[in-house]
């Protein structure tokens, strides 16, 4: 066998494996993303129901000083758990995503209200709390992708050649 034949053989095998992997990702990726996002929301919400258990509790208390945190934190917890359940179950996605997108601006509030808790050095040095907030960009992106499926949209693998 010459070098060119071996290269073509490798390319064909690689293409076949790559196609199988990307087809699997297209088939299951959205469900895995939806359920994973749901687990995050449910878990983080549930932590807020137990005083002192959520690492975000103090940040929420300091950021939302204009409302009583003793009732606001449990309401926020149930709100996040409702988002989580909606995502895990995959029902009422429009309502679930609406709740998610209404909640997200509040998560960014510390960037403005409590910058000293977010930045070690503005605009690039983040505290752990700042990283916690900035990672919400990924949650927003996942929500947008899921929102693209509420009318039947889906991820479609590349067609066979």
């Amino acid at each position: 066998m010459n070098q060119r034949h071996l290269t073509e053989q490798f390319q064909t095998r690689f293409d076949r494996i790559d196609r199988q992997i990307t087809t699997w990702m297209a088939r299951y990726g959205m469900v895995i993303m939806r359920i994973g996002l749901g687990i995050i929301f449910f878990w983080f919400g549930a932590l807020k129901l137990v005083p002192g258990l959520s690492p975000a509790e103090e940040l929420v208390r300091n950021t939302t000083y204009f409302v009583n945190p003793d009732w606001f934190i449990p309401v926020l917890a149930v709100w996040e758990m409702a988002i989580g359940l909606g995502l895990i179950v995959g029902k009422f996605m429009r309502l679930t995503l609406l709740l998610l997108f209404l909640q997200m601006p509040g998560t960014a509030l510390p960037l403005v209200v409590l910058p000293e808790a977010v930045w070690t050095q503005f605009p690039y040095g983040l505290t752990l709390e700042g990283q916690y907030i900035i990672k919400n960009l990924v949650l927003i992106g996942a929500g947008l992708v899921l929102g693209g499926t509420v009318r039947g949209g889906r991820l479609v693998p590349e067609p066979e050649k």
Side-chain angles (χ1 to χ4, degrees):
M1 287 192 184
N2 65 28
Q3 183 68 27
R4 184 172 183 203
H5 181 69
L6 286 173
T7 302
E8 288 173 6
Q9 220 177 7
F10 174 78
Q11 205 85 24
T12 302
R13 181 171 288 144
F14 177 82
D15 187 59
R16 187 174 62 248
I17 293 168
D18 186 58
R19 189 175 305 279
Q20 290 171 340
I21 291 169
T22 56
T23 298
W24 185 91
M25 289 176 171
R27 182 174 295 131
Y28 299 108
M30 295 292 261
V31 172
I32 292 169
M33 181 174 62
R34 179 177 51 76
I35 292 171
L37 190 60
I39 290 169
I40 289 169
F41 269 94
F42 189 85
W43 195 332
F44 284 19
L47 289 175
K48 289 178 180 74
L49 287 177
V50 180
L53 195 56
S54 171
E57 181 180 346
E58 197 61 32
L59 188 61
V60 173
R61 284 183 178 280
N62 293 335
T63 303
T64 57
Y65 55 84
F66 44 88
V67 294
N68 182 347
D70 294 334
W71 67 262
F72 180 74
I73 291 175
V75 167
L76 179 60
V78 171
W79 184 299
E80 289 179 358
M81 291 171 70
I83 294 168
L85 281 176
L87 290 166
I88 290 167
V89 174
K91 301 291 182 193
F92 311 109
M93 287 301 292
R94 283 182 175 84
L95 176 60
T96 298
L97 292 172
L98 174 65
L99 292 175
L100 186 154
F101 286 116
L102 288 174
Q103 188 253 4
M104 278 294 122
T107 65
L109 207 52
L111 295 169
V112 177
V113 176
L114 223 68
E116 65 277 6
V118 177
W119 307 102
T120 58
Q121 180 131 6
F122 182 82
Y124 49 83
L126 292 166
T127 63
L128 190 57
E129 291 85 354
Q131 293 174 41
Y132 185 83
I133 293 164
I134 296 298
K135 68 95 179 82
N136 288 336
L137 293 171
V138 174
L139 302 184
I140 292 167
L144 290 170
V145 170
L146 291 172
T149 69
V150 297
R151 295 181 60 95
R154 59 191 173 95
L155 208 60
V156 180
E158 178 184 19
E160 292 286 333
K161 290 183 183 179

